């Protein structure tokens, strides 16, 4: 079919809007990239230094879950922003593809069909695409004929050139419209991913900081327990000196009171009776025998 040739090709302001969206996406990539750097720098192996074998299982799991959530949330936000920045422009072939109407490309196709730009083609992208191809092919043929025989009238070439220019301008406007609608749709949907991802990353970071910043939980008995500390041979001389010369206890077995425990070790206080100085010590659990 032949469309009327206007004096100027149609134009659209959506090209600038689409470029601004792409620029915003690039800034999102830079921003989330910086956030990812901070997160991965803050969540290092050294950050687990405050956790040891005496740490409560729940506290250790909380640190792992927090670190994982912070990393996953940040990565999802970064990948989503990267996908937006790398969103490709719509091409002619995309206008005639069979896609779901709810997809970003489907919405772009619907916007093109409803656009007055395709009114000469009854809102049918396939007819428009075919016209673009025919116009390009016809212009090339006319131009080649004129080159082969420059003496012939150039009016047919000029008409083909004008029609080709008109369709090229319409094509640019149509593709700019489709690109903007597609990118705008992706931006709106990306918000439903970015917001939860950032919330997960923030919650994970807070949980990790709490778990690694809180001191390891100590197991403290509800009441003091009387026991006997069987002093290792290599420590007996030192212990005897610290208990004092007036201490009547044999350094091989010193009465103590258990006041706390951490893993396989006990925190004990020696009995100050019998002229002995009270000592607060951390000893191996294997060397302590509870008194019945």
């Amino acid at each position: 079919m032949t469309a009327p040739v206007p004096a100027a090709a149609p134009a659209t302001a959506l090209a600038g809007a689409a470029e601004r969206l792409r620029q915003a996406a690039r800034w999102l990539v830079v921003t989330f990239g910086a956030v990812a750097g901070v997160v991965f720098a803050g969540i290092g192996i050294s950050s687990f230094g405050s956790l040891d074998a005496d740490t409560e299982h729940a506290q250790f799991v909380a640190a792992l879950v927090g670190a994982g959530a912070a990393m996953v949330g940040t990565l999802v936000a970064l990948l989503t922003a990267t996908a937006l920045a790398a969103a490709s422009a719509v091409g002619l072939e995309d206008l005639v593809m069979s896609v779901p109407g709810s997809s970003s490309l489907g919405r772009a196709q619907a916007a093109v069909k409803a656009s007055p730009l395709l009114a000469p083609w009854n809102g049918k992208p396939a007819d428009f695409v075919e016209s673009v191809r025919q116009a390009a092919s016809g212009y090339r043929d006319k131009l080649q004929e004129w080159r082969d025989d420059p003496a012939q009238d150039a009016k047919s070439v000029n008409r083909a050139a004008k029609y080709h220019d008109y369709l090229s301008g319409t094509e640019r406007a149509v593709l700019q419209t489709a690109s903007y609608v597609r990118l705008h749709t992706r931006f709106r949907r990306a918000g439903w991913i970015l917001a939860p991802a950032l919330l997960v990353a923030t919650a994970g970071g807070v949980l990790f900081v709490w778990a690694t910043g809180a001191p390891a939980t100590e197991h403290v008995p509800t009441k003091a327990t009387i026991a006997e500390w069987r002093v290792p041979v290599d420590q007996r001389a030192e212990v005897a000196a610290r208990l004092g010369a007036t201490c009547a206890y044999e350094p091989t077995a010193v009465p103590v009171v258990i006041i706390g425990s951490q893993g396989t070790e006990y925190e004990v206080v020696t009995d100050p009776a019998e002229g002995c100085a009270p000592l607060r010590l951390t000893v191996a659990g294997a060397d302590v025998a509870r008194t019945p």
Side-chain angles (χ1 to χ4, degrees), residues 241-256:
R242 293 181 63 185
L243 289 173
T246 60
C247 183
Y249 294 144
E250 291 292 332
T252 55
V254 178
V256 296

Side-chain angles (χ1 to χ4, degrees), residues 21-169:
L21 286 178
R22 293 190 182 94
Q23 186 67 27
R26 287 191 284 270
W27 276 109
L28 284 176
V29 172
V30 173
T31 302
F32 290 136
V35 172
V38 172
V39 170
F40 290 123
I43 301 178
I45 298 299
S46 60
S47 300
F48 286 92
S50 61
L51 306 178
D52 52 31
D54 298 324
T55 303
E56 284 282 358
H57 178 71
Q59 185 177 338
F60 188 78
V61 171
L64 292 180
V65 171
M71 291 181 180
V72 170
T74 304
L75 281 177
V76 169
L78 179 58
L79 292 176
T80 302
T82 303
L84 285 175
S88 60
V90 177
L92 280 178
E93 295 298 330
D94 295 324
L95 297 180
V96 296
M97 287 180 59
S98 177
V99 295
S102 59
S103 67
S104 59
L105 182 55
R107 290 182 178 271
Q109 291 175 344
V112 167
K113 292 177 182 179
S115 171
L117 293 168
L118 292 191
W121 294 270
N122 298 319
K124 296 179 179 179
D127 290 349
F128 170 71
V129 172
E130 183 61 27
S131 294
V132 170
R133 292 171 178 168
Q134 290 179 1
S137 177
Y139 173 62
R140 287 194 300 268
D141 292 343
K142 292 292 184 182
L143 185 60
Q144 187 60 47
E145 291 175 4
W146 182 77
R147 286 175 177 173
D148 293 339
D149 185 10
Q152 66 174 306
D153 189 359
K155 289 182 179 180
S156 61
V157 179
N158 291 335
R159 285 195 299 269
K162 288 182 179 180
Y163 187 52
H164 178 264
D165 289 344
Y166 162 66
L167 287 183
S168 296

Side-chain angles (χ1 to χ4, degrees), residues 124-245:
K124 296 179 179 179
D127 290 349
F128 170 71
V129 172
E130 183 61 27
S131 294
V132 170
R133 292 171 178 168
Q134 290 179 1
S137 177
Y139 173 62
R140 287 194 300 268
D141 292 343
K142 292 292 184 182
L143 185 60
Q144 187 60 47
E145 291 175 4
W146 182 77
R147 286 175 177 173
D148 293 339
D149 185 10
Q152 66 174 306
D153 189 359
K155 289 182 179 180
S156 61
V157 179
N158 291 335
R159 285 195 299 269
K162 288 182 179 180
Y163 187 52
H164 178 264
D165 289 344
Y166 162 66
L167 287 183
S168 296
T170 304
E171 176 188 349
R172 286 193 297 272
V174 167
L175 295 183
Q176 287 168 1
T177 300
S179 296
Y180 171 77
V181 173
R182 186 180 191 182
L183 190 56
H184 186 263
T185 301
R186 287 186 175 182
F187 253 90
R188 287 193 304 170
R189 292 177 177 175
W192 293 99
I193 300 176
L194 289 175
L198 292 179
L199 286 176
V200 169
T202 302
V206 171
L207 181 61
F208 177 80
V209 170
W210 172 81
T212 56
T217 304
E218 296 182 4
H219 300 280
V220 181
T222 56
K223 63 179 181 179
T225 303
I226 299 175
E228 184 180 71
W229 177 35
R230 297 164 183 169
V231 185
V233 176
D234 58 343
Q235 298 180 27
R236 290 176 182 174
E238 178 186 355
V239 170
R242 293 181 63 185
L243 289 173

